[in-house]
């Protein structure tokens, strides 16, 4: 049996920058309660977790993927609606020991975007509606060419696939335009149909998360398949046989027509 099902939600790829530059301080006493340090990375992980919980506790049934990146981008968890799994993965990459072992030191944002596009493609989601990327990074990246592809070409791939990118640039006390790469990333992100947020404080970071959540209302349409096989035919036959036998005995044998 095949049926088309539509429900509120999005397919969301959450990308978190784990490069060395994310070790700079970002004070967030309410968000970053777990880590002993106030490094930007731990605040970004806490912000990503807050965003995920907003979606989980709301009316949405999102499919969520988690990508961690530096010089390279790594798919930590592919698209899933197993929210315990995605929250566990977010918690694990936010562990200070795990972060200290992360191998990449640089920041190549376009690499993460390209990896996420590939993830949407691998799940055959490029032609579907309801796709979205949320990027947490300090924005310290001025590379305009990655693996022989220009930033415009990579951005164009998200535009062709109709996947908006929402970039939360977490850089403490650095407002919009105060970080040199902002000149590169603001127009690039806005070109995708998404938004650029300069989160320079805990308050602005929380506002960015809340706004992305409100802007991410949408629907997912999927096709569900189910098969049904009879398992109790023998029991139904036995029941019918007993009932028929009882009726036959009652009608044909006088002894079965009255109570003893």
């Amino acid at each position: 049996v095949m049926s088309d099902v539509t429900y509120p939600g999005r397919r969301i790829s959450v990308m978190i920058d784990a490069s060395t530059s994310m070790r700079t301080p970002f004070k967030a006493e309410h968000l970053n309660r777990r880590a002993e340090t106030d490094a930007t990375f731990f605040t970004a992980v806490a912000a990503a977790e807050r965003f995920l919980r907003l979606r989980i506790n709301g009316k949405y049934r999102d499919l969520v993927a988690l990508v961690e990146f530096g010089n390279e981008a790594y798919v930590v968890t592919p698209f899933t609606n197993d929210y315990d799994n995605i929250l566990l993965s977010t918690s694990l990459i936010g562990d200070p020991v795990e972060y200290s072992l992360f191998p990449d030191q640089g920041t190549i944002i376009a690499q993460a975007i390209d990896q996420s596009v590939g993830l949407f493609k691998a799940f055959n989601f490029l032609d579907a509606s309801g796709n979205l990327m949320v990027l947490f990074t300090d924005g310290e990246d001025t590379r305009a060419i990655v693996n022989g592809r220009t930033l415009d070409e990579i951005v164009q791939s998200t535009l062709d696939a109709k996947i908006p990118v929402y970039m939360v640039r977490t850089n403490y006390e650095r407002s919009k335009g105060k970080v040199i790469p902002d000149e590169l990333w603001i127009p690039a992100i806005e070109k995708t149909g998404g938004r650029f947020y300069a989160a320079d404080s805990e308050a602005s970071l929380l506002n960015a998360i809340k706004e992305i959540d409100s802007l991410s209302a949408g629907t997912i349409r999927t096709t569900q398949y189910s098969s049904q096989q009879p398992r109790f035919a023998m029991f139904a036959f036995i029941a019918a046989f007993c009932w028929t036998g009882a009726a036959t005995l009652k009608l044909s044998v006088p002894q079965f027509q009255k109570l003893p």
Side-chain angles (χ1 to χ4, degrees):
V1 178
M2 181 179 69
S3 61
D4 289 331
V5 180
T6 301
Y7 51 85
R10 289 286 192 114
R11 300 177 183 90
I12 304 175
S13 175
V14 177
M15 300 168 282
I16 301 177
D17 184 353
S19 61
T20 303
S21 61
M22 294 287 283
R23 297 179 184 270
T24 57
F26 193 112
K27 296 180 181 179
E29 60 181 14
H30 296 97
L31 269 177
N32 185 17
R33 294 180 176 178
R34 174 183 172 185
E36 297 179 357
T37 68
D38 57 358
T40 302
F41 174 75
F42 299 115
T43 300
V45 171
E49 184 175 347
R50 175 70 66 89
F51 172 73
L52 290 172
R53 290 191 182 277
L54 281 175
R55 304 296 296 178
I56 293 169
N57 295 331
K59 62 182 180 179
Y60 304 107
R61 294 172 56 190
D62 300 317
L63 288 171
V64 185
L66 180 63
V67 175
E68 187 178 16
F69 71 96
N71 291 328
E72 299 291 336
Y74 306 91
V75 178
V76 179
T77 306
F79 285 107
T80 180
N81 56 7
D82 184 348
Y83 301 130
D84 289 336
N85 186 10
I86 200 75
L87 288 173
L88 176 61
S89 297
T90 306
S91 178
L92 288 175
I93 69 170
D95 180 77
V97 176
E98 289 295 325
Y99 179 48
S100 67
L101 297 175
F102 189 72
D104 293 357
Q105 297 183 351
T107 305
I108 304 181
I109 297 173
Q111 194 82 283
I113 295 174
D114 197 36
Q115 179 69 275
S116 288
V117 172
L119 191 58
F120 281 104
K121 183 177 180 180
F123 278 78
N124 199 26
F125 289 161
L126 287 184
D127 295 329
S129 61
N131 298 334
L132 178 72
M133 296 185 200
V134 181
L135 171 65
F136 294 91
T137 177
D138 60 0
E140 298 288 352
D141 178 19
T142 57
R143 292 175 179 82
I145 299 178
V146 179
N147 297 330
R149 299 177 63 197
T150 66
L151 179 59
D152 286 340
E153 290 175 337
I154 294 174
V155 169
Q156 187 62 42
S157 66
T158 68
L159 189 62
D160 293 340
K162 298 179 181 179
I163 307 175
V165 181
Y166 291 85
M167 179 173 171
V168 183
R169 195 264 283 150
T170 52
N171 212 309
Y172 194 62
E173 295 184 338
R174 307 286 292 276
S175 58
K176 190 174 183 178
K178 296 298 183 180
V179 178
I180 293 176
D182 284 359
E183 299 179 359
L184 176 68
W185 289 106
I186 292 173
I189 294 300
E190 291 179 349
K191 184 179 179 181
T192 69
R195 294 191 182 183
F196 178 94
Y197 298 91
D200 58 353
S201 65
E202 183 178 34
S204 61
L205 179 55
L206 290 171
N207 288 335
I209 295 169
K210 185 177 180 180
E211 184 171 322
I212 295 172
D213 177 50
S214 65
L215 292 172
S216 301
T219 58
I220 296 177
R221 182 179 180 183
T222 61
T223 302
Q224 294 184 345
Y225 300 88
S226 64
S227 60
Q228 298 178 355
Q229 296 180 353
R231 299 293 186 184
F232 305 101
M234 181 180 67
F235 299 102
F237 174 79
I238 293 173
F241 176 79
C242 292
W243 186 89
T244 303
T248 301
L249 290 172
K250 180 175 177 61
L251 296 175
S252 60
V253 180
Q255 287 81 356
F256 288 95
Q257 295 178 0
K258 62 181 179 178
L259 294 173

